Amino acid sequence: PLKVASLHPIVSDLARQVGGANVEVIDILKPGGDIHHFEPAPKDIAAMRGSKLLLASGKELETYLDKLRDSLGSGVKLVEVGEKIPSIPFVCHEEHDHAEHDHHHGEFDPHWWHSAENMKRAARIMSDVLSAADPANEAAYEAGAKAASKRFDELKKWAQKEVAKIDRKDRKLVTAHAAFGYFCKEFGFESMSVLGIGRNDDASSSHIAETIEEIREHGIKAIFPEDQANPKVLAEIARSTGVKIGDPLIADGTAKNAHTFETMLAHNVRAIVAALAPASAN
Amino acid sequence: MSAAASHDHTKEHVCWGGGCKHTQHHRLEVIDLGVQYQEVRALEKINFATECGRSMALIGPNGAGKSTLLKSLAGLIAGDSGKILWRGKPLTRSSHEIAYLPQRGDIDWNFPITVRGLVEMGRYPNLGWWRQYSRHDADIVERALTSMELRDLQDRQISALSGGQQQRAFIARALAQEAHVLLLDEPFTGLDKPAQENLSRLFKELTAEGRLLIASHHDLQTVKGNFDDVLLIRRHQIVFGPVAEAFTPANVASAYDNPDQAIRN
Amino acid sequence: MSAAASHDHTKEHVCWGGGCKHTQHHRLEVIDLGVQYQEVRALEKINFATECGRSMALIGPNGAGKSTLLKSLAGLIAGDSGKILWRGKPLTRSSHEIAYLPQRGDIDWNFPITVRGLVEMGRYPNLGWWRQYSRHDADIVERALTSMELRDLQDRQISALSGGQQQRAFIARALAQEAHVLLLDEPFTGLDKPAQENLSRLFKELTAEGRLLIASHHDLQTVKGNFDDVLLIRRHQIVFGPVAEAFTPANVASAYDNPDQAIRN
Amino acid sequence: MPLPTITDFLAEPIAKRALLACLMIGFANGFVSAFVVLRKSALKIGTISHSLLPGLAVAVLIAGLSQWSALVGAIFAALIVGLGSIFLSRTSRLDQDTAMGVLYTTAFAVGLQILRGLNVRQKLDEWLFGSIIGMADSDLWIAFGISAIAVITLTALQRPLIIYLFEPNIAASLGVPVRLLNYATFAVTILVLVSSLQAVGCILSVGLMVAPAATMYLLTNNARALFWGGGILGALGSMIAFFLAYPLGWSPSSTIVIVLGSFFLLAYIFSPKYGLFSKRGSVA
Amino acid sequence: MPLPTITDFLAEPIAKRALLACLMIGFANGFVSAFVVLRKSALKIGTISHSLLPGLAVAVLIAGLSQWSALVGAIFAALIVGLGSIFLSRTSRLDQDTAMGVLYTTAFAVGLQILRGLNVRQKLDEWLFGSIIGMADSDLWIAFGISAIAVITLTALQRPLIIYLFEPNIAASLGVPVRLLNYATFAVTILVLVSSLQAVGCILSVGLMVAPAATMYLLTNNARALFWGGGILGALGSMIAFFLAYPLGWSPSSTIVIVLGSFFLLAYIFSPKYGLFSKRGSVA
Ligand SMILES: Nc1ncnc2c1ncn2[C@@H]1O[C@H](COP(=O)(O)OP(=O)(O)OP(=O)(O)O)[C@@H](O)[C@H]1O
Ligand SMILES: Nc1ncnc2c1ncn2[C@@H]1O[C@H](COP(=O)(O)OP(=O)(O)OP(=O)(O)O)[C@@H](O)[C@H]1O
Ligand SMILES: [Mg+2]
Ligand SMILES: [Mg+2]
Ligand SMILES: [Zn+2]
């Protein structure tokens, strides 16, 4: 089979779905790992031996890619799957825009995999690159991509049905970091982040004061921490405003128990619906 | 276990409150002491006994083991054989009754402390962690400063002193401790003539008050007038006894003039 | 600008290669020198001139400014008035021709260096960054070690020495430098009697070779036999001149016995 | 929507708690900074605050990932590296800095390896680094308790401590319980460090634990004044920063350190005795 | 699928490059570690490796984010903090550690504030922290150049350097150009640090820059031997680590530091002269 290596669990899964039995996917970054750092063991590199493709999620998520290029043998092609997927800018507080608050000029949200439409695009891209590497099985890859797209569509339908349980006015997703722009766009949420964009940003007190105001003003029902991140500040804001704390959402797709698009989306949608939908709907 | 409690006889004294004028004198005994540094044997079979009210000169060539002996007496290094008894009991490191002046301290000269603050440190063994710094303590510090002619310098930070002034400040700290036993490693170093004479005079006063004083130094001429006893060493003990008997040219010669240079290492 | 190049008259010498026996002697001139530390005036209006082949004792009470003067001559601190001329030119900090022995160095005693390594450092000004350490240099180091009786200790790490042995090692380093001018701040400190006598003898040899030697110390008795000139200071200069003329009891008294203690601060 | 005024904001419990936290953490850190500065261990503290990962790794290995296991793991790691380096330097000829350099990097490497094995994200330390604005009640109580312990311990031990800091050998000969002091003060420092880590994060906590007494150091020759002066400067600076950060929209932790750094700069330039403009010995 | 044998693996270009990088970076770092250990600046190096952020922030502010601007910014930051703290301590009564503690935390706070203002998405230091596997060609060349510069400079300056490290005052009186040495060696150290940051990351680079000479320090009293011995140990340890990491499946950078840490431990215990089992002065 065609051997490919992957730097992101969701991309690995996509490659498996599209390629089926014709590809062998090596996970360089294993579920639970940190997508921001690349520190492969020689063993991983050895396991990669003979791979035709190295798949990355792209959109500058893997900041180390530039360096890696030189080290790859000549037979390996690096593919940034997300590169051709339309970007949306980072958004913190979508519906207002004061002078002192900043929109992120020229900065794009790299978390493209929160959208089924994007996943469908990615499936097509995947089929193209696999075919280019292994023209003999082109037809199989195209079929694989189609099948995957169909599954993604179904999943989207299911998610939309679930989201419909939430009152339209309650469709506001308050998260710690702005990683859910694509999700919000696809499922009609307004997104708001408490802590800013970077993981290590420390929120300013005025930003927190604003967030509290907004949570009150918009009657927001719940706010969501992130998987594996410290929920402390969110917890205090929740305590101040009396809103619920939802189940942690999965942002990077690397959670140990949910590292495919299906499991990740299902987890996030369930968590959001459970916290925002009226009690009767659940 | 405060120092004051163990000084059950302090009341008799008028000045330098901690000495001991009483019938049964306190003895310091060193029995068969030996000290080893890595491959160097620094001291071997040192034996002597002295008591408060006496002063003792510790004499020997460079590398004879004088500093090593004083450090052992101060409890800063442990011998590997023999023992040291003070008032009949083995010496513990933190004996409050012993004041020690190192030959070369490992001082942080930039430490934010004035001369006065340094001398006040000497009161620590008497004050412990808690007791209030009293008028009495201030008097003692004052006296120590005066006797070392440091009154005018008392508010200087310690790095802003000349070498001899620094030495005087450290001596004053040892004095302010009002200890039973004073162990002074080359106390005359760096002092000018008047200060040296002043210190000799002070030694007499201290022993008259009933303190025990042990000082190493290199000036053989001043041994006779200034000390009661002398211990001549050169790794081994050469002689110990009252200056008049022990400090004979023959003994001194056997400490210094040896064609065999072995001791110097 | 290597040291050897400036020593255009070295050939005449048999030992301690860097001295100068020649008609026109090199002069060290100090003119109206004054030094200030923060609020303390340490030196004022110091004036003297001497030349190689002579030795000079620097005498004064504690805090008189002896160390300050030596540090100025070594180029380590700058005066705020007056000037220092060596061979007619203002002194620069890194004059290769000057060896300096500090009173109290800020030494890292744990530094991985042996006694021999320390003495070898003295050869640096002659070797510079590049020149090979030669047989000749080794001989000089050997001689410096021997003259300070450190042969047996040469492979010891420097913290494993007694106080006097350390002092000897630093003196040996200054000797190995074979400098024109030796500035020694209380070189006798910590040395035992034989070593002190040895050093006095060495001083004579050094000046006989044509070096200029300036040493501070506190032992007034040894001034007469050991030095050609004396500079008595107490912030101000009290007197400068040949020992026989200048070192009179009256002058010494005016340096030390002053009811006004002001100088001591 | 206009920015709520600061008085509005102060009505929020979250703001009150933050202000209280600034006061307490500022004071305790400033107080302890005297010890850090006298001991010249600013960089040791910095190093320890970076060496928590192996402790976290072990904690996660044993108890899973939670805020409490992170806290315990961090304290554990700090003690290992701190006391370990004291031990290594006492029993070898290396200085403590070098011993610590080797120890913490090796521990860190081992920690990374454990985490790889566990397949846990490597950026665990963010579990420790809260923000002064997100302090829970329990955090406040912990901060209060630790501050109280620190101030009381260091005040009680002050006399022997200063002697010890000046010269351990002299201290020993004066009967100061040197080893006890060494370990006790070290433990207090670690506690304060961990509590300020929760408030301002890894690097900034070092600033909080150094700058106040460093500023005082330029103003006084009285070692005691370093402690109380440091505490007061620390508390004052933190409060000023809190009120500055709000209108500027800055993060409170960075602002605290910037304010304390400015205090330092002022003292560095204008200190009457040791400032840039005071006439000190004109050293060549 | 069985693991390819190590010889197979070595046939890969990526493996050859990594091995080469281990050799060069190990040697250069080990060599420089002698200077770090003699200077007792292990923790200073650690601190500097953590204080790159403000430089990055300024670089991004001026030139936008790219690998080169990040590198330049990092070097710039290191120089500011390093030379700044030397300057602060020379012109005040503070020691360099304390000065550095205040300086780098304040700079860091300012850097954070700049980055907030710029809204840069990621923690920037990731731009710097590569891994020894996956070094770009340019990285390898930079590493080679820096190693060569470091070894040549430190060898050329060795004689005055050792005197200077022993006692700056004596050095000055011997005519050693103290200030020049101070700045030159500092610059070399920073260069080596930045090159090893790219290979093993922020904390582990400190291990690489301390452990080799710390090990030698326990074995010799010859300051010169520290340099070459450190270099050889560093290179050897890195190569051993490379071959160990393969079958164990560990990350090479952590393994390097673990191996060097083990060397240190062995010397600490078994050194004939300064080891735990050697009879040294029985200090109470
Ligand atoms: N840390 C050490 N390690 C090994 N040997 C040491 C150490 N300290 C001292 N020595 C050696 O022990 C011996 C005794 O040293 P000590 O310092 O007691 O001599 P001293 O009589 O005080 O000499 P001085 O008059 O020079 O001060 C000397 O031979 C010295 O070299
Ligand atoms: N760093 C300093 N700051 C302020 N004053 C100083 C400093 N160093 C020395 N002094 C003062 O300058 C004067 C001269 O000091 P110096 O060290 O030159 O004296 P000295 O003659 O060497 O004395 P000693 O015989 O005690 O060594 C003294 O009054 C001293 O207190
Ligand atoms: Mg001695
Ligand atoms: Mg002097
Ligand atoms: Zn945002």
Side-chain angles (χ1 to χ4, degrees), chain A residues 7-23:
Chain A
L7 293 166
H8 196 292
I10 288 187
V11 173
S12 309
D13 178 59
L14 185 64
R16 285 194 185 96
Q17 293 199 34
V18 173
N22 294 319
V23 302

Side-chain angles (χ1 to χ4, degrees), chain C residues 188 193 196 200 217-227:
Chain C
F188 294 103
K193 208 83 237 173
Q196 288 184 18
S200 300
H217 66 141
H218 287 294
D219 191 353
L220 303 181
Q221 278 146 11
T222 56
V223 173
K224 283 235 155 80
N226 289 323
F227 296 90

Side-chain angles (χ1 to χ4, degrees), chain A residues 161-240:
Chain A
K161 217 171 75 216
E162 287 293 302
V163 168
K165 293 178 185 166
I166 304 171
D167 292 343
R168 193 162 291 279
K169 67 168 175 44
D170 285 339
R171 287 186 203 163
K172 300 195 176 75
L173 189 62
V174 184
T175 53
H177 298 282
F180 293 90
Y182 296 94
F183 178 90
C184 290
K185 193 166 171 235
E186 182 149 316
F187 297 102
F189 281 81
E190 201 174 277
S191 88
M192 191 189 293
S193 72
V194 176
L195 293 181
I197 36 175
R199 274 189 195 293
N200 292 276
D201 279 8
D202 182 9
S204 72
S205 33
S206 46
H207 186 111
I208 292 205
E210 274 180 321
T211 309
I212 289 176
E213 285 270 315
E214 267 176 58
I215 288 174
R216 293 224 176 95
E217 193 180 317
H218 297 279
I220 279 162
K221 290 166 97 177
I223 57 183
F224 299 89
E226 244 168 71
D227 181 47
Q228 285 197 332
N230 193 337
K232 226 165 142 180
V233 176
L234 286 195
E236 287 311 305
I237 288 179
R239 202 153 72 99
S240 249

Side-chain angles (χ1 to χ4, degrees), chain B residues 153 156 159-166 190-192, chain C residues 37-43 60-69 71 103 185-186 216 218 233 235 263-265:
Chain B
L153 302 173
R156 286 260 188 101
S159 71
L161 295 178
S162 77
Q165 289 162 344
Q166 285 166 346
L191 298 187
D192 60 19
Chain C
Y37 295 105
Q38 210 163 359
E39 298 120 27
V40 183
R41 187 96 199 131
L43 285 178
N62 289 145
K66 302 181 293 298
S67 302
T68 307
L69 178 55
K71 277 183 209 157
Q103 182 171 14
D185 203 351
E186 310 206 1
S216 72
H218 287 294
I233 56 170
R235 187 182 307 152
I263 176 62
R264 291 248 163 128
N265 59 1

Side-chain angles (χ1 to χ4, degrees), chain A residues 85-221:
Chain A
I85 291 169
S87 294
I88 60 171
F90 260 124
V91 175
C92 273
H93 296 254
E94 208 166 58
E95 36 80 60
H96 61 91
D97 185 6
H98 2 177
E100 81 274 12
H101 194 79
D102 26 63
H103 278 253
H104 313 275
H105 317 284
E107 285 290 336
F108 295 100
D109 187 348
H111 305 85
W112 56 266
W113 53 82
H114 285 297
S115 141
E117 293 304 321
N118 285 350
M119 285 302 287
K120 279 155 67 186
R121 287 187 191 108
R124 239 172 289 131
I125 293 167
M126 185 68 73
S127 125
D128 290 349
V129 296
L130 292 178
S131 306
D134 178 20
N137 289 315
E138 189 170 348
Y141 296 138
E142 266 170 26
K146 281 222 177 69
S149 296
K150 214 169 134 230
R151 281 193 294 278
F152 297 151
D153 271 333
E154 281 159 17
L155 201 62
K156 184 178 173 187
K157 277 199 202 96
W158 168 82
Q160 278 168 335
K161 217 171 75 216
E162 287 293 302
V163 168
K165 293 178 185 166
I166 304 171
D167 292 343
R168 193 162 291 279
K169 67 168 175 44
D170 285 339
R171 287 186 203 163
K172 300 195 176 75
L173 189 62
V174 184
T175 53
H177 298 282
F180 293 90
Y182 296 94
F183 178 90
C184 290
K185 193 166 171 235
E186 182 149 316
F187 297 102
F189 281 81
E190 201 174 277
S191 88
M192 191 189 293
S193 72
V194 176
L195 293 181
I197 36 175
R199 274 189 195 293
N200 292 276
D201 279 8
D202 182 9
S204 72
S205 33
S206 46
H207 186 111
I208 292 205
E210 274 180 321
T211 309
I212 289 176
E213 285 270 315
E214 267 176 58
I215 288 174
R216 293 224 176 95
E217 193 180 317
H218 297 279
I220 279 162
K221 290 166 97 177

Side-chain angles (χ1 to χ4, degrees), chain C residues 123-134:
Chain C
R123 298 305 303 150
Y124 171 77
N126 296 286
L127 289 171
W129 293 12
W130 307 100
R131 201 130 3 100
Q132 191 65 39
Y133 184 82
S134 69

